[in-house]
Amino acid sequence: AKLISTLSLLLGTTITISSNHWMMAWTGLEINTLAILPLISKPHHPRAIEAATKYFLVQAAASTLLLFSCTTNALFTGQWDITQLTHPISCLLLTTAISMKLGLVPFHFWFPEVLQGSPLTTGLLLATAMKFPPITLFLLTSPSLNYTLLTIMAIASAALGGWAGLNQTQIRKILAFSSISHLGWMTIIIIYNPKLTLITFYLYCMMTAAIFLTLKTTKSLKLSSIMAAWTKIPSLNAILMLALLSLAGLPPLTGFLPKWLIIQELTKQEMTSTATIIALLSLLGLFFYLRLAYCATITLPPNSANYMKQWQTNKPVNTLTTTFITLTITLLPLSPMIFSI
């Protein structure tokens, strides 16, 4: 069953990113939605079932809006081609539908709840792979998107993603708000430089994968458990701190690259005030990443007698985890090569 779900995910993503016709893109998104549901509800727990139900309802509503958008466009212009979306109502509906799919503010309420109810591996898929088909549709239709709505949603996402993550104690919820904040950075630049959005998305996926895989190795789900996890694999916990700071966007780590490029591009487009606002809003995110990094490496749990210390494991860390972590920390010097690609 897991194999069928994974293959269906790959199939749905491939159909959406390679299609020119709106109906094929919609079909791929539907296959994706149905394929991830068994993976979310696999732990037979009320929270997992609730997460799957919420995910299904939101994605179904977003798909309906998407279908309505492309049908309206076809009615007025006779075009089913993805790149020929010209009718203003269709453009507005499409911007709203894909924002719901991605979890941009104000359509973000489902995402932290769904991520919190999912296992870590499924959470990684939801935060990275499931965002790829909607981002691709955003890229294909970027000239015809409603820019005013998109900018407002992007700044609101960067603000709320940082603000709402401040008082969370569950790591998956913190990473969900981090994802919302990063989506704000991606969407603010999509009209001017779609390739930059794609680079930002790839780097975000890589950094998030490194953190999720590390948390899976140490079996940490909340701040109190991450405090006690240092005895298990001390070196991995120390590197987790660097990965979190990279996701926060501190130089000289990889996460600084997309933020630097986006601010540079916004300044080129004479949007200095927008660049200033979004750069200041990233400080909110920096605070909760620092808190996570502090819990992971610098502090001990307050009542250490109440915590069962975990045995240090001699098992080697997964190669995939080490690869992602290495890239998350060391990719900034290779930025000229990334630009040339």
Side-chain angles (χ1 to χ4, degrees), residues 103-156:
L104 280 170
V105 173
F107 311 108
H108 67 284
F109 295 101
W110 62 273
F111 190 53
E113 299 296 326
V114 169
L115 212 65
Q116 179 58 30
S118 311
L120 279 171
T121 317
T122 312
L124 173 58
L125 280 175
L126 284 168
T128 55
M130 296 303 290
K131 300 264 194 274
F132 189 46
I135 287 268
T136 312
L137 289 180
F138 253 169
L139 285 169
L140 291 171
T141 55
S142 57
S144 52
L145 293 172
N146 188 309
Y147 184 63
T148 313
L149 179 64
L150 211 55
T151 309
I152 292 167
M153 286 197 297
I155 292 173

Side-chain angles (χ1 to χ4, degrees), residues 288-305:
F288 64 73
Y289 290 122
L290 278 172
R291 188 174 66 152
L292 265 175
Y294 183 79
C295 289
T297 53
I298 307 166
T299 187
L300 288 173
N303 304 314
S304 51

Side-chain angles (χ1 to χ4, degrees), residues 7 15-16 21 23 26 29 34 65 67 72 121 161 170-171 185 208 223 231 247 269 279 295 299 301 336:
L7 289 174
I15 288 173
T16 303
H21 196 283
M23 291 307 289
W26 175 79
L29 288 171
L34 294 173
L65 261 182
L67 202 56
T72 309
T121 317
Q170 298 287 338
I171 297 173
W185 280 83
T208 307
L223 287 180
T231 51
L247 199 57
Q269 300 292 341
C295 289
T299 187

Side-chain angles (χ1 to χ4, degrees), residues 4 43 46 86 111 114 133 164 182 184 192 197 219 241 247 258 260 278 298 300 307:
I4 291 168
T86 50
F111 190 53
V114 169
H182 277 85
Y192 299 115
T197 299
K219 294 185 173 62
M241 180 186 76
L247 199 57
W260 168 35
I278 205 161
I298 307 166
L300 288 173
Y307 279 86

Side-chain angles (χ1 to χ4, degrees), residues 206-238:
M206 191 180 65
M207 294 184 289
T208 307
I211 289 169
F212 267 100
L213 291 169
T214 305
L215 293 172
K216 191 169 184 288
T217 309
T218 56
K219 294 185 173 62
S220 306
L221 293 175
K222 50 185 189 285
L223 287 180
S224 55
S225 62
I226 208 173
M227 285 177 185
W230 64 275
T231 51
K232 200 171 186 185
I233 311 175
S235 55
L236 192 63
N237 239 39

Side-chain angles (χ1 to χ4, degrees), residues 43-277:
H44 295 293
H45 189 276
R47 193 180 282 275
I49 306 300
E50 183 190 336
T53 311
K54 282 178 180 172
Y55 185 77
F56 173 72
L57 291 173
V58 173
Q59 296 299 314
S63 292
T64 311
L65 261 182
L66 184 85
L67 202 56
F68 185 42
S69 160
C70 58
T71 313
T72 309
N73 189 65
L75 183 69
F76 285 105
T77 64
Q79 281 287 350
W80 282 99
D81 196 298
I82 289 179
T83 52
Q84 302 295 320
L85 194 81
T86 50
H87 196 266
I89 294 175
S90 298
C91 295
L92 186 67
L93 285 171
L94 179 83
T95 309
T96 311
I98 298 186
S99 302
M100 280 177 80
K101 285 250 170 222
L102 288 171
L104 280 170
V105 173
F107 311 108
H108 67 284
F109 295 101
W110 62 273
F111 190 53
E113 299 296 326
V114 169
L115 212 65
Q116 179 58 30
S118 311
L120 279 171
T121 317
T122 312
L124 173 58
L125 280 175
L126 284 168
T128 55
M130 296 303 290
K131 300 264 194 274
F132 189 46
I135 287 268
T136 312
L137 289 180
F138 253 169
L139 285 169
L140 291 171
T141 55
S142 57
S144 52
L145 293 172
N146 188 309
Y147 184 63
T148 313
L149 179 64
L150 211 55
T151 309
I152 292 167
M153 286 197 297
I155 292 173
S157 298
L160 192 130
W163 199 261
L166 293 177
N167 63 342
Q168 298 295 335
T169 55
Q170 298 287 338
I171 297 173
R172 281 171 294 183
K173 273 198 176 174
I174 292 175
L175 289 170
F177 285 117
S178 145
S179 178
I180 292 166
S181 174
H182 277 85
L183 281 169
W185 280 83
M186 288 174 218
T187 46
I188 202 147
I189 204 69
I190 198 158
I191 302 281
Y192 299 115
N193 195 338
K195 283 185 179 175
L196 186 49
T197 299
L198 209 54
I199 288 174
T200 309
F201 178 69
Y202 289 150
L203 291 175
Y204 160 74
C205 286
M206 191 180 65
M207 294 184 289
T208 307
I211 289 169
F212 267 100
L213 291 169
T214 305
L215 293 172
K216 191 169 184 288
T217 309
T218 56
K219 294 185 173 62
S220 306
L221 293 175
K222 50 185 189 285
L223 287 180
S224 55
S225 62
I226 208 173
M227 285 177 185
W230 64 275
T231 51
K232 200 171 186 185
I233 311 175
S235 55
L236 192 63
N237 239 39
I239 291 168
L240 175 63
M241 180 186 76
L242 290 174
L244 286 163
L245 294 179
S246 179
L247 199 57
L250 287 186
L253 303 165
T254 307
F256 176 62
L257 176 62
K259 286 188 166 59
W260 168 35
L261 291 176
I262 289 170
I263 288 171
Q264 188 180 10
E265 186 68 32
L266 286 172
T267 315
K268 272 185 200 168
Q269 300 292 341
E270 295 180 0
M271 296 178 66
T272 319
S273 53
T274 311
T276 309
I277 290 166

